[in-house]
Amino acid sequence: MATIQKRPLKHGYSYRVVWREPDGTLQQRTYRNDEEKAKDLKRFLDANNNSMNIAQQAKLRSLSTAPTVRELVEHHIENLGGEVEPGTVQTYRGMLRIYFTGTGIGETPIDVLTTSQVRTWFDELDRSPKTKKNVHALLSAAIRTELRQDKPRIKANVAEGVRSPKSVKKTRDPVFLEKHEIQALIDAMPDEVYRRMVDLKVYTGMRFGEITALRPSHITERRGRMIISVREAWKRHAGKEVGQPLGAPKTNKGTRNITLSKSAAERFKPWLDSIEEDNLIFTVPSTGTQITSSYFSRIIWAPAVDPLVEAERGKRPVLHARPTPHDLRHTHASMLIEAGNEFMLIQERLGHESITTTIGTYGHLRNDADARAADSLE
């Protein structure tokens, strides 16, 4: 807590405000014949953890008439227009509620916000690097929208240049399953529809939203081979009033053809032949409705995986690590690499927009390529 030391002068009094900053340094400021200013500074310091910087920001906030960061982000979201999918807008509203409503940065007027504040806020966000990046991108986009106005109330985008260090480790490494683990996982599924879906997913690398949107009309047979045409995917959920719509795959290259191996096609064809008309190939058995990722993860996947990663006394667990449904896609890529396929082919099969994504995710698996490169120097 700050203190005021009153001392007599030849003409009047001096009022020295003394406080200790959060880092332990002792600070002081003296006012001649102005007790009210000294009391005002003491009040601000007491209310702001004895930090002059925080106190100054609080005073600026109290004098500002500009909208807050929360209001800026909210205005940006509400004026995105029809080019942004409803599910994405819903996600942005969730970010607004969690990261900007009732928070220090959210209630800061935009004309007071500084790069230093944004950096501190960003560094202290206890979220995965991807989430932090997305929240920061929303803030930066909202500021850019303000700067495009005829009379912007700010002069620069203070969120620009604030990034996570490149060395930040991923919060979770992919799990690559061995073939015997894949079969154990398929066998653990509680119903044939889920066994067929897991089998097809691991041998095609399809995204969850793609495989659960499959219909018989998406599959053709050419020259004795079965080919899946990926043209649709369930989009991000947008709330009860909008639902989860079908749309194009995640990326432009997500629209692709995937050829099944002969053995995978033999396992899948009897199930495909049992689907009536052009209904969804994979649905919840009890309701015949779409299989959502949240339902599958909680109700089907987790109860099936739990026993496989829990070791019985004196025995090894069946799975060497706990996989997620998305790890079936990672496993598909790892099998392609192990078989010697080139990254360009793997990129096309997975539907990655950029080869950089493919190499960045799976490049470390190509130990054989590194060995061949070393041998070429002999």
Side-chain angles (χ1 to χ4, degrees):
M1 180 177 290
T3 60
I4 298 177
Q5 299 173 353
K6 180 179 178 182
R7 295 187 178 183
L9 301 174
K10 187 175 181 180
H11 300 288
Y13 292 90
S14 72
Y15 300 91
R16 179 183 296 168
V17 183
V18 181
W19 73 95
R20 191 175 294 278
E21 288 280 340
D23 63 3
T25 59
L26 196 64
Q27 301 289 336
Q28 63 181 33
R29 181 167 294 185
T30 301
Y31 298 93
R32 295 173 63 91
N33 295 318
D34 200 333
E35 186 176 10
E36 285 307 311
K37 280 190 176 180
K39 288 181 178 180
D40 186 46
L41 176 59
K42 176 178 165 33
R43 281 193 296 270
F44 268 105
L45 288 168
D46 289 346
N48 292 281
N49 197 32
N50 270 10
S51 170
M52 174 61 79
N53 183 52
I54 295 176
Q56 288 173 333
Q57 289 297 320
K59 189 162 187 176
L60 287 173
R61 286 196 297 269
S62 69
L63 296 174
S64 175
T65 58
T68 64
V69 171
R70 173 186 57 78
E71 292 169 330
L72 185 73
V73 173
E74 184 174 22
H75 179 268
H76 170 72
I77 294 172
E78 297 305 321
N79 290 274
L80 282 172
E83 71 276 5
V84 179
E85 294 178 0
T88 302
V89 174
Q90 191 75 359
T91 297
Y92 288 163
R93 287 176 180 153
M95 291 181 182
L96 172 68
R97 183 178 64 256
I98 296 170
Y99 302 106
F100 299 105
T101 301
T103 63
I105 193 170
E107 301 310 320
T108 299
I110 59 174
D111 61 344
V112 173
L113 189 67
T114 66
T115 298
S116 176
Q117 285 177 292
V118 175
R119 184 174 291 110
T120 299
W121 161 77
F122 184 77
D123 290 343
E124 292 178 353
L125 274 181
D126 187 19
R127 293 293 187 271
S128 70
K130 183 177 180 180
T131 298
K132 291 176 66 170
K133 179 181 177 181
N134 291 340
V135 176
H136 170 267
L138 176 60
L139 171 61
S140 188
I143 295 175
R144 286 198 301 273
T145 298
E146 171 66 22
L147 287 170
R148 287 194 294 266
Q149 301 300 315
D150 292 336
K151 295 182 179 180
R153 290 158 289 193
I154 52 178
K155 296 181 179 179
N157 187 347
V158 294
E160 280 188 356
V162 177
R163 296 287 186 273
S164 292
K166 291 185 178 180
S167 60
V168 171
K169 187 181 182 297
K170 293 180 179 178
T171 55
R172 180 185 179 277
D173 291 324
V175 173
F176 303 103
L177 299 172
E178 300 290 337
K179 286 195 174 181
H180 72 277
E181 294 177 306
I182 295 170
Q183 190 57 54
L185 195 53
I186 292 172
D187 293 341
M189 291 293 114
D191 193 279
E192 186 68 16
V193 62
Y194 302 120
R195 288 192 282 275
R196 291 305 106 222
M197 190 175 80
V198 169
D199 187 12
L200 189 66
K201 195 174 191 311
V202 80
Y203 285 98
T204 61
M206 294 175 71
R207 299 179 177 94
F208 192 89
E210 296 170 346
I211 199 167
T212 52
L214 274 181
R215 299 177 187 273
S217 60
H218 298 153
I219 301 173
T220 57
E221 290 190 47
R222 301 177 196 168
R223 299 177 182 177
R225 304 304 297 267
M226 187 174 289
I227 300 172
I228 297 175
S229 179
V230 182
R231 295 293 182 272
E232 288 185 314
W234 295 107
K235 310 307 289 184
R236 188 175 296 160
H237 197 276
K240 292 181 180 179
E241 72 281 2
V242 178
Q244 189 168 6
L246 277 170
K250 184 177 180 181
T251 66
N252 290 332
K253 288 188 178 293
T255 301
R256 63 202 188 278
N257 292 331
I258 302 174
T259 302
L260 283 180
S261 67
K262 291 182 179 179
S263 57
E266 288 174 1
R267 295 192 300 272
F268 178 56
K269 194 174 188 309
W271 179 260
L272 177 65
D273 291 342
S274 70
I275 306 302
E276 297 180 358
E277 300 179 346
D278 200 32
N279 296 321
L280 291 174
I281 293 174
F282 301 112
T283 58
V284 178
S286 59
T287 63
T289 56
Q290 170 205 352
I291 302 172
T292 64
S293 60
S294 60
Y295 174 85
F296 182 75
S297 296
R298 292 183 296 106
I299 307 302
I300 306 300
W301 184 266
V305 168
D306 285 346
L308 301 181
V309 295
E310 296 169 359
E312 297 181 15
R313 181 174 295 180
K315 295 183 179 180
R316 284 185 174 184
V318 177
L319 303 181
H320 74 278
R322 181 180 293 275
T324 67
H326 194 69
D327 285 322
L328 299 177
R329 180 170 162 86
H330 292 317
T331 296
H332 179 72
S334 71
M335 291 193 298
L336 292 176
I337 291 172
E338 186 177 356
N341 292 285
E342 296 301 322
F343 279 117
M344 189 70 74
L345 184 149
I346 296 170
Q347 175 200 1
E348 293 175 358
R349 194 167 172 89
L350 294 179
H352 284 159
E353 188 67 20
S354 169
I355 189 68
T356 303
T357 303
T358 312
I359 296 174
T361 307
Y362 306 113
H364 65 287
L365 299 178
R366 288 300 299 267
N367 294 328
D368 58 330
D370 185 59
R372 286 198 301 273
D375 291 343
S376 70
L377 302 175
E378 294 295 334

